[in-house]
Amino acid sequence: MDTIALESFILYNNVRLNPIVKYAVQLLSMAQGSQDRKEKETLFYEIQRGLLSASDYMDLKGTYWGNYICKLIAESENRFSLTSEKGNADIDQNVKLIAIREMEILRKLYSIDWKKIEADLSDGEISVCRMEEQHDQTTSFHYRHEIRAALERDDVNQTLTDLERYYYRHGCGIFENYEAFVWDKGLVGIRNYDKITFEQLVGYETQKKALIENTEFFLNGLSCNNALLHGDRGTGKSSSVKALLNRFADRKLKLISINKHHIDQLYGIIESIGNRGCKFIIFIDDLSFEDTEVGYKHFKSIIDGGIEAQPKNILIYVTSNRRHIIKETWKDRGDNGEVHGNDGMQERLSLSDRFGLTIPFISPDREGFFQIVKGIVKQEGIDIDEIYLLEEAVKWDMRQKGRSGRVARQFVNHVSSKLLLNQIKEESQDDAIY
């Protein structure tokens, strides 16, 4: 068997340091000699445990071992993958030469003949390494089959070209692995993020159109604006921003959610992603400042007017129940003790003016609320008499505080469950008769 020189990795250092790969290479070298069988089996079972624990998410059709090597390649952040991610055609030729050499090693790792290694081991026939993973083409990683196809190419140069293309289309490292993130002293990937779509958000067509259009400008490298979505609670501001990710995730769009208390870290966040080949929306939900807070001054300098220009691959979208984000009081409109009181008020209210795009989300009137309810019912395919539906909606409206898309969704959940419960009771009574 060919030897595999892990120590020669320069770019794919994550592969060199990976314990499962180390065990496999060690076992491969032992298979060529007459080392102790017990030691071989110890390594063999350690590899299998590692492969199973690393396959929490079903990636693609293929063996556990092959898919694991694809995973390591996909998640590697190195000079070659990062440059490819940005679509730079002129990759440093020295980097390319190193990458080609390392492609040969990666292909050898991927193609390890486990059947030959396992020939003299107990339980060799029941080997996780050679087992086909149960794959689900609807998972986030179904596209990693492109890496497998690249590694199976006859020409190593074609392998390199295919991986260049892969990193450009899907990103590398944590940004290949996740679409949504929260900030907690660093980026934390979110696997099960909200899968809301614009089709599920009934109403507010003008607002959704404006947000989608601005985001499409951004994704196409055109002039676009940071956006403030403001208005009444439950009207779909936050859901509209989340829906962008589900519409444009295949365009390497990433969503990073931060809260108000992390605003002082915004410069660091922007610095960490500004040179990547993905597009990022930094999302600050439900932002507001009390009139006594001064944190808005830091945020204002970042939005517009700071010493560092906002990178072209970053947009900032903010939602707030307040049009001007900062709490206004009657004192602001009268004698507040300042010699130039109007200047102070203008300074506080100027934050919202820094957003090039402001989109209002206003609670619907009763007729608008009924239209949203009917739209959700149609979308959900619920068979219900319209007169009964509207009668129940009036009762619900009178009991609830405010009308919104959220309240409409809650009402539809209630009325549909009520109908199903009555149906279950009727069926139970029929069963009792017989």
Side-chain angles (χ1 to χ4, degrees), residues 152-360:
E152 292 175 357
R153 289 276 199 177
D154 293 330
D155 182 358
V156 70
N157 290 287
Q158 191 59 55
T159 298
L160 186 78
T161 301
D162 288 353
L163 286 183
E164 257 184 272
R165 188 181 300 116
Y166 182 88
Y167 292 131
Y168 176 65
R169 291 177 59 189
H170 307 294
C172 65
I174 192 172
F175 298 124
E176 187 271 352
N177 212 344
Y178 296 95
E179 281 83 40
F181 304 83
V182 295
W183 182 265
D184 184 13
K185 299 178 182 178
L187 287 174
V188 179
I190 303 299
R191 186 75 62 200
N192 298 312
Y193 58 86
D194 192 346
K195 297 299 194 294
I196 188 76
T197 65
F198 283 109
E199 290 69 30
Q200 293 172 292
L201 298 172
V202 180
Y204 299 97
E205 297 304 321
T206 301
Q207 290 87 337
K208 292 188 293 187
K209 181 180 178 182
L211 188 65
I212 291 170
E213 183 180 61
N214 189 63
T215 307
E216 287 185 320
F217 291 159
F218 172 58
L219 293 173
N220 285 288
L222 304 173
S223 297
C224 55
N225 292 294
N226 295 322
L228 170 63
L229 288 67
H230 66 88
D232 301 315
R233 66 188 188 278
T235 49
K237 303 183 295 294
S238 303
S239 294
S240 293
V241 176
K242 295 172 188 174
L244 290 170
L245 182 59
N246 296 305
R247 172 163 292 200
F248 297 118
D250 62 345
R251 303 272 299 273
K252 281 201 302 185
L253 179 65
K254 311 297 178 181
L255 186 69
I256 300 175
S257 177
I258 72 170
N259 62 47
K260 168 182 169 180
H261 304 295
H262 292 146
I263 283 176
D264 63 344
Q265 300 175 45
L266 251 179
Y267 275 125
I269 297 171
I270 291 172
E271 181 71 21
S272 69
I273 60 178
N275 198 35
R276 295 299 298 256
C278 301
K279 301 278 189 175
F280 299 92
I281 291 175
I282 296 178
F283 175 39
I284 309 174
D285 192 23
D286 198 21
L287 180 64
S288 65
F289 294 98
E290 297 300 315
D291 58 329
T292 55
E293 293 182 90
V294 295
Y296 71 89
K297 294 183 178 181
H298 179 77
F299 185 46
K300 189 166 69 169
S301 72
I302 294 173
I303 289 290
D304 184 18
I307 192 170
E308 185 176 0
Q310 184 172 313
K312 293 185 180 298
N313 68 330
I314 296 173
L315 267 186
I316 299 174
Y317 283 175
V318 171
T319 68
S320 179
N321 293 334
R322 294 173 176 167
R323 166 66 178 84
H324 294 292
I325 303 179
I326 303 166
K327 180 180 178 181
E328 295 181 77
T329 65
W330 285 111
K331 187 174 68 172
D332 293 324
R333 299 173 182 268
D335 182 7
N336 57 17
E338 291 189 51
V339 175
H340 301 287
N342 185 61
D343 291 349
M345 183 179 73
Q346 291 299 320
E347 197 268 340
R348 287 189 289 275
L349 300 185
S350 65
L351 173 56
S352 60
D353 294 338
R354 299 289 177 108
F355 293 91
L357 178 65
T358 57
I359 305 176

Side-chain angles (χ1 to χ4, degrees), residues 14 39-41 57-58 68 101 117 127 144 161 215 226 280 327 342 355 430:
N14 66 315
E39 186 180 352
K40 292 180 185 179
E41 291 189 341
Y57 305 98
M58 296 178 285
Y68 188 67
R101 178 174 59 78
I117 292 174
S127 168
R144 283 188 182 165
T161 301
T215 307
N226 295 322
F280 299 92
K327 180 180 178 181
N342 185 61
F355 293 91
D430 292 342

Side-chain angles (χ1 to χ4, degrees), residues 26 29-40 120:
Q26 187 178 348
S29 65
M30 291 172 69
Q32 296 174 314
S34 56
Q35 285 84 356
D36 184 70
R37 176 171 169 167
K38 185 175 181 181
E39 186 180 352
K40 292 180 185 179
D120 64 338

